Amino acid sequence: MTTTGEALTDRVTGLTGDQVAERVARGQVNEVGERTSRSIGEIVRANVLTRFNAILGALFVLVLTTGSWADGLFGIILVVNSAIGITQEYLAKRKLDRLALLHAPTTRVVRDGQTLDVPTREVVLDDLIELRAGDEVPADGVLLTSEGLELGEANLTGESDPVHHPAGDEILSGTSVVAGSGRYRAKAVGRDAYVNRIAAEARKFTRTHSEIQASVNTLLRYITWIIVIALPLQVWSQWKVVGEQGWQAVVIRSAAGVVGLVPEGLVLLTSVAFLLAAVQLTRDQVLVQQLPAVEGLARVDVVCLDKTGTLTVGEIAFEDARPTGDADPEVVRCALGALADDPNANGTLAAVGAALDSPGWQRTATVPFNSQRKWSAACFVDHDTWVLGAPEVLLAEQDTLRDEVVELARRGRRVVLLARSTQPLTEPVLPDDLTPAALVTLTEQIRPDARATLDYFAQEGVAIKIISGDNPQTVAAVAREVGLEPGDPIDARTLTDDPDDLRDILRRTMVFGRVSPEQKRAFVHALQADGHVVAMTGDGVNDALALKDADIGVAMGNGAQATRAVAELVLLDGRFAHLPKVLAEGRRVIGNVERVANLFVAKNAMSLVAILAAALAALPFPFLPRHLTLVSMLTIGTPAFFLALGPNRQRYLPGFLRRILRFAVPSGTIAGLAVIASYVLSGRGHGVPPEEFSARCEIARPGAALDLACVQPSTGATITLLVVFFWILVVLARPFLWWKALLIGVMAVLALLAFVLPAGDAFFGFHAPWTLVWQSLAIGLVGAALIELLHRWAHRRDAGAARVTP
């Protein structure tokens, strides 16, 4: 009696359209719900619904209720920031989703009696799937028919030899068809399939750690608590000083201080830097599935590689045929060409056929290659029987050729034996009179860019560990061909499970062979325990957990679905040579975000110092919100946007947050003290003395007149702040390029116009007699000189740290 699935899945016609639609409606499809980007709703929420947007939004509404529209300018910038973030991420989402869709695999299914190619994610339960050489097995199932079907199961087991599967065998997703063909019924799809269950298990581990994001989040926590403490202090102090002018004056002065404490563009520019780096890498066929991976690779100091598919292209090439005994070299080459002239040639014969022409011999019988027999054979009219296979199978135990085979294998060659017989073959049994004719050597094709890539990592101080399931000597030979000095390779089967021993061995060994999937994961853990940041490349399901446990997992685009699903980076064309570009992008992001963060944190520190000083000295807060909006836009927000996206080749050094706090907090403190000094001196020497300010200088309402002397202290403080922050910008923009000089020059001109143009004076409420200008500039220049000294001290300290970093 047949099962329900077998009844529904006819061996010839497959499912009907109605049956497919029914399974789609029940969700029995091969979709696992993975995606490379956030939904539009998530993008909008992430860019709009933030704690700082809530703070600034509330202040914006309060300021508007006072009638001082000019002081609500920061609210417009808030909206623009959110809009930029949403737009940038949406455009990046479209590109990433399009790229992921472009590389989505397809599967051959039989429906309504017709063979169709459908996206693998649209395969449904009970589908009749047709397999041919080169196909990936997309779902678990049971073979209905098999015509010499052999599956490569290295992705699951780590074993390189293909496995023969007759009809009735259960086959698993994540394997690939090496030879033959067959049809099977899908009995487990989507999350129920074996390969996806492994991927789901791997996804339980921690997502990619980002020092930048962790540091920015820490900063945001600090700043949040500072705002919680500073807000009531600011309101209380301004109520005492300008409370007689009404609640509107208190709101406006208080808002100015709190707005200065909010790093409104820091999170936006950090996200934009990650996103645009990810989009840039798609042009180089690198799919970034977790944005922090761009940064993460820049922190990596150990890269674990597999030989096949990374250092080599994963294909073998014919090198030579060495006749043995009295064999004729020309006959040997003709025999090899004739054997390779086979429509069902395996990988070895395909490599031979690519190098040697067929002599046109007439084939009378064929024994196809079988991974259990490890040989293939063919009979030809007037040319005897020729056999090609593993030397250890075809050679006698005492044959001296075995020593030569061992030596060739030690030098990294793959060796097969060509033998001949006068007996015709009628079944897959070796003839008695088998005589060796030639040792055929094949080589793995080294990737042409492998040497340059490894040289780059060596120059950057990144250690290489080659971890392979192949013979250690063979792996070491390949390592030598790409310019490495592998030393003595180790057979991983001889290693113990002791973590301390493993850490010691990994410190002094580069090449490991016969490594099991479990050992790959143990290697990652041992390197991490030794303080390393580890990247690992892989293409098989057996690599999935090791890739996920590594700090950065890099999957090959032609690898198993489970491996691609859990990796942070996918090399879509399988070229290891893209990794230096990823590392360069990571460095650019780290260096530029550090610059940007310094600008924002310096502004926060300045505002806090000004709030505290104003409260202690019973002064009005030196600025109106419009003044800080001008300073933020010209010396922080706009320059930060361009600096965050520019090139940066600075090598990574740990201590991102520590360096920011070491420079930005003292810089902000210097700026805050300079501002207070300028405000007090401007009031006493040019404007209204601070003690008379509350009584004489009510904040102007729209259309109301205001004594110009009342705006001179804030004008002087703004000039001083602009000078100090422009110098902070100059310091952080080094080394200078033409576009940076142009950027700072344009911002300085715009700042000057705000004071020179009548419209700028009227909008910002500036009044600056020349004596006030020179005094404010002088105080600002003192602050700039202190900033320069601080920068040089921090630079020397960082340079010293870089010299002692291994």
Side-chain angles (χ1 to χ4, degrees):
M1 183 175 180
T2 60
T3 66
T4 302
E6 290 171 336
L8 290 170
T9 308
D10 188 277
R11 292 173 183 242
V12 177
T13 62
L15 294 175
T16 66
D18 290 340
Q19 290 169 333
V20 171
E22 178 186 341
R23 283 158 175 74
V24 171
R26 293 202 300 256
Q28 296 173 324
V29 294
N30 211 33
E31 178 67 61
V32 294
E34 288 304 309
R35 49 188 181 158
T36 58
S37 61
R38 297 191 286 194
S39 68
I40 294 176
E42 289 172 333
I43 291 173
V44 172
R45 287 193 295 273
N47 284 277
V48 174
L49 303 180
T50 68
R51 73 183 81 170
F52 293 122
N53 279 3
I55 294 171
L56 290 178
L59 291 174
F60 176 65
V61 172
L62 284 173
V63 169
L64 292 185
T65 61
T66 69
S68 183
W69 298 92
D71 289 312
L73 187 62
F74 68 89
I76 299 174
I77 295 176
L78 173 68
V79 174
V80 172
N81 274 347
S82 295
I84 291 173
I86 292 169
T87 302
Q88 292 281 12
E89 187 165 355
Y90 173 69
L91 294 176
K93 167 190 168 60
R94 288 184 59 190
K95 291 182 180 180
L96 292 173
D97 288 351
R98 192 182 303 123
L99 187 63
L101 182 62
L102 181 64
H103 289 83
T106 60
T107 296
R108 198 176 297 106
V109 299
V110 180
R111 294 175 180 172
D112 289 319
Q114 295 184 335
T115 303
L116 309 170
D117 281 329
V118 301
T120 300
R121 67 180 181 277
E122 295 181 9
V123 171
V124 300
L125 188 68
D126 295 322
D127 245 332
L128 180 58
I129 299 173
E130 184 174 293
L131 297 175
R132 300 176 190 171
D135 288 347
E136 296 287 327
V137 178
D140 303 348
V142 177
L143 278 172
L144 302 176
T145 65
S146 173
E147 297 178 10
L149 184 71
E150 293 189 358
L151 298 181
E153 299 183 351
N155 282 344
L156 303 182
T157 65
E159 296 294 333
S160 58
D161 291 336
V163 179
H164 174 67
H165 285 279
D169 267 15
E170 181 177 358
I171 59 176
L172 298 175
S173 53
T175 57
S176 59
V177 181
V178 175
S181 60
R183 287 184 174 184
Y184 78 102
R185 178 178 66 84
K187 74 169 190 177
V189 296
R191 297 184 184 278
D192 295 328
Y194 177 78
V195 69
N196 293 325
R197 293 202 305 272
I198 291 180
E201 174 67 22
R203 290 187 198 102
K204 294 177 183 178
F205 294 96
T206 306
R207 306 297 284 179
T208 304
H209 171 74
S210 165
E211 184 182 3
I212 288 179
Q213 290 186 335
S215 298
V216 169
N217 289 337
T218 300
L219 276 174
L220 296 182
R221 285 197 301 273
Y222 291 165
I223 293 169
T224 300
W225 283 109
I226 289 173
I227 291 174
V228 169
I229 297 171
L231 178 58
L233 175 64
Q234 173 77 339
V235 172
W236 172 77
S237 68
Q238 297 309 295
W239 183 267
K240 285 184 61 179
V241 176
V242 297
E244 295 178 1
Q245 298 179 5
W247 65 270
Q248 294 92 342
V250 175
V251 166
I252 291 174
R253 293 281 175 180
S254 299
V258 177
V259 166
L261 289 175
V262 177
E264 66 274 4
L266 178 57
V267 176
L268 166 70
L269 290 177
T270 301
S271 299
V272 168
F274 276 135
L275 281 167
L276 294 189
V279 173
Q280 174 65 33
L281 288 172
T282 63
R283 299 171 188 168
D284 293 315
Q285 294 293 298
V286 179
L287 179 61
V288 180
Q289 302 199 113
Q290 294 187 42
L291 293 181
V294 177
E295 169 216 339
L297 193 64
R299 295 188 289 110
V300 163
D301 59 2
V302 176
V303 177
C304 297
L305 310 174
D306 192 4
K307 171 180 66 67
T308 305
T310 302
L311 301 181
T312 66
V313 298
E315 299 176 359
I316 54 175
F318 173 78
E319 180 186 57
D320 194 14
R322 307 180 182 199
T324 61
D326 58 356
D328 186 335
E330 185 60 30
V331 173
V332 164
R333 296 179 72 86
C334 287
L336 287 171
L339 285 170
D341 187 14
D342 183 348
N344 296 313
N346 62 7
T348 299
L349 285 177
V352 171
L356 302 177
D357 294 329
S358 170
W361 292 1
Q362 183 178 351
R363 186 184 295 252
T364 59
T366 299
V367 177
F369 178 82
N370 180 283
S371 58
Q372 295 174 327
R373 289 192 303 269
K374 298 186 181 297
W375 57 270
S376 62
C379 302
F380 302 93
V381 175
D382 299 328
H383 293 289
D384 296 333
T385 296
W386 292 87
V387 181
L388 187 69
E392 60 266 27
V393 174
L394 302 183
L395 287 174
E397 287 291 337
Q398 67 277 13
D399 199 310
T400 56
L401 283 176
R402 285 181 175 269
D403 294 335
E404 189 173 349
V405 169
V406 170
E407 176 60 23
L408 288 170
R410 192 192 68 79
R411 287 156 48 191
R413 301 299 185 264
R414 182 176 295 187
V415 186
V416 292
L417 179 72
L418 177 68
R420 67 189 303 171
S421 170
T422 58
Q423 300 176 15
L425 292 183
T426 57
E427 55 185 40
V429 177
L430 289 173
D432 297 332
D433 63 340
L434 201 62
T435 303
L439 287 177
V440 180
T441 56
L442 303 104
T443 61
E444 292 193 79
Q445 299 180 46
I446 303 295
R447 287 190 179 275
D449 47 19
R451 180 185 288 265
T453 304
L454 294 174
D455 286 346
Y456 175 85
F457 278 119
Q459 293 168 6
E460 300 301 322
V462 178
I464 299 296
K465 303 293 179 185
I466 303 179
I467 302 172
S468 175
D470 288 343
N471 183 294
Q473 297 296 337
T474 302
V475 180
V478 171
R480 293 186 192 97
E481 289 192 46
V482 295
L484 297 175
E485 297 179 3
D488 295 327
I490 287 182
D491 189 324
R493 293 174 297 185
T494 65
L495 298 177
T496 67
D497 295 332
D498 184 84
D500 292 332
D501 289 347
L502 197 55
R503 287 168 61 184
D504 181 62
I505 292 170
L506 282 163
R507 290 188 194 113
R508 48 189 171 84
T509 306
M510 177 186 291
V511 173
F512 298 85
R514 304 300 186 200
V515 183
S516 69
E518 293 78 14
Q519 285 178 313
K520 291 182 180 181
R521 193 178 183 189
F523 281 16
V524 169
H525 291 170
L527 289 167
Q528 290 171 329
D530 226 15
H532 294 291
V533 180
V534 182
M536 180 161 183
T537 67
D539 56 7
V541 173
N542 60 305
D543 296 326
L545 293 179
L547 259 69
K548 194 57 188 177
D549 282 7
D551 296 281
I552 297 295
V554 183
M556 301 301 163
N558 58 353
Q561 179 182 350
T563 308
R564 298 196 304 270
V566 302
E568 287 81 17
L569 300 172
V570 180
L571 307 182
L572 294 170
D573 58 3
R575 292 183 57 202
F576 176 60
H578 292 314
L579 288 186
K581 294 179 182 178
V582 182
L583 189 146
E585 279 297 309
R587 287 182 172 176
R588 187 182 67 78
V589 169
I590 290 177
N592 290 343
V593 171
E594 185 169 331
R595 284 175 173 168
V596 168
N598 271 300
L599 286 171
F600 283 102
V601 175
K603 183 194 76 167
N604 301 148
M606 180 279 300
S607 296
L608 180 61
V609 169
I611 288 172
L612 294 175
L616 291 173
L619 296 172
F621 189 73
F623 307 106
L624 299 179
R626 68 189 83 170
H627 301 150
L628 283 183
T629 298
L630 174 70
V631 175
S632 294
M633 183 173 65
L634 297 182
T635 66
I636 300 171
T638 304
F641 184 82
F642 290 97
L643 290 176
L645 306 180
N648 193 324
R649 297 182 180 178
Q650 178 180 338
R651 290 186 65 170
Y652 167 76
L653 286 174
F656 177 87
L657 180 59
R658 184 176 63 252
R659 285 194 303 276
I660 290 174
L661 295 177
R662 190 169 64 225
F663 175 78
V665 172
S667 297
T669 301
I670 292 170
L673 294 176
V675 160
I676 292 298
S678 180
Y679 184 79
V680 171
L681 291 176
S682 297
R684 294 193 181 281
H686 301 277
V688 177
E691 59 270 16
E692 300 178 19
F693 189 89
S694 178
R696 295 174 51 186
C697 300
E698 185 176 354
I699 294 177
R701 302 288 185 274
L706 180 67
D707 186 347
L708 292 179
C710 292
V711 300
Q712 289 177 355
S714 291
T715 302
T718 304
I719 293 172
T720 297
L721 184 61
L722 281 168
V723 171
V724 175
F725 262 86
F726 265 119
W727 199 256
I728 293 175
L729 179 60
V730 167
V731 163
L732 294 175
R734 297 172 185 169
F736 270 115
L737 298 173
W738 68 267
W739 64 269
K740 294 180 184 177
L742 178 62
L743 172 66
I744 296 174
V746 170
M747 295 299 103
V749 169
L750 291 176
L752 181 63
L753 292 177
F755 290 89
V756 173
L757 295 179
D761 267 355
F763 182 83
F764 292 105
F766 290 146
H767 184 249
W770 279 111
T771 53
L772 173 64
V773 171
W774 292 119
Q775 174 185 288
S776 303
L777 286 175
I779 297 173
L781 289 173
V782 171
L786 293 175
I787 296 294
E788 180 67 26
L789 292 174
L790 173 66
H791 167 70
R792 296 191 177 191
W793 170 80
H795 182 71
R796 284 197 301 270
R797 182 165 178 171
D798 290 341
R803 284 193 295 270
V804 301
T805 299

